């Protein structure tokens, strides 16, 4: 008796760029969004096979610390999570993201981590991890 050969399962990987409402889209990979001229721009992209979201932003002149905040209803009751990047680092990766969830990111630049000397926040950029 001949057995049927197992069929290979194909994983379809998707890459999805984030979007922002009421913001100007500027060039970049992923597409970045900003409000006003010369303000900080932010873009996010979800990669399904790596289970990660990458946030990329522009560096604001005269600042040396970047505060990236993100939230999701599936994580910590939707509270904002903060990541500080010093120097010229303008990218962060969030790993092991939840499926079928919406993540929202914002970033601002600060001088020496003092909250009184910070740029305006970037627009909120959201990306979904669902199908």
């Amino acid at each position: 008796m001949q057995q049927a050969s197992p069929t290979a399962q194909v994983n379809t990987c998707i890459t999805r760029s984030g979007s922002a409402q009421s913001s100007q889209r500027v060039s970049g990979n992923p597409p970045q969004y900003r409000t006003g001229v010369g303000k900080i721009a932010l873009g996010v992209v979800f990669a399904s096979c790596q289970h990660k979201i990458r946030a990329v932003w522009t560096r604001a002149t005269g600042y040396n610390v970047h505060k990236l905040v993100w939230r999701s209803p599936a994580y910590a009751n939707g509270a904002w999570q903060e990541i500080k990047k010093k120097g010229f680092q303008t990218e962060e990766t969030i790993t092991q993201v939840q499926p079928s969830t919406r993540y929202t990111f914002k970033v601002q630049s600060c001088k020496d981590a003092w909250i009184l000397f910070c740029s305006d926040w970037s627009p909120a950029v959201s990306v979904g991890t669902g199908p």
Side-chain angles (χ1 to χ4, degrees), residues 14-16 46 48 53 97-103 127-131:
I14 61 165
T15 301
R16 180 179 300 127
F46 166 66
S48 67
I53 297 174
V97 296
Q98 298 294 316
S100 300
T101 303
R102 189 143 203 82
Y103 288 80
V127 68
T129 61

Side-chain angles (χ1 to χ4, degrees), residues 85-122:
K85 304 294 275 184
K86 293 187 177 186
F88 298 105
Q89 298 174 336
T90 58
E91 183 174 318
E92 180 65 31
T93 301
I94 308 298
T95 58
Q96 300 178 355
V97 296
Q98 298 294 316
S100 300
T101 303
R102 189 143 203 82
Y103 288 80
T104 302
F105 293 78
K106 295 189 299 184
V107 68
Q108 78 176 162
S109 296
C110 299
K111 293 182 181 183
D112 299 319
W114 295 105
I115 200 156
L116 298 175
F117 302 105
C118 296
S119 69
D120 292 335
W121 285 100
S122 72

Side-chain angles (χ1 to χ4, degrees), residues 19-27 31-43 123 125:
S19 61
Q21 296 180 347
S22 304
S23 300
Q24 177 186 6
R25 181 176 170 173
V26 296
S27 64
Q32 296 177 345
Y33 297 86
R34 72 171 173 221
T35 52
V37 176
K39 302 288 183 179
I40 194 166
L42 171 67
V125 180

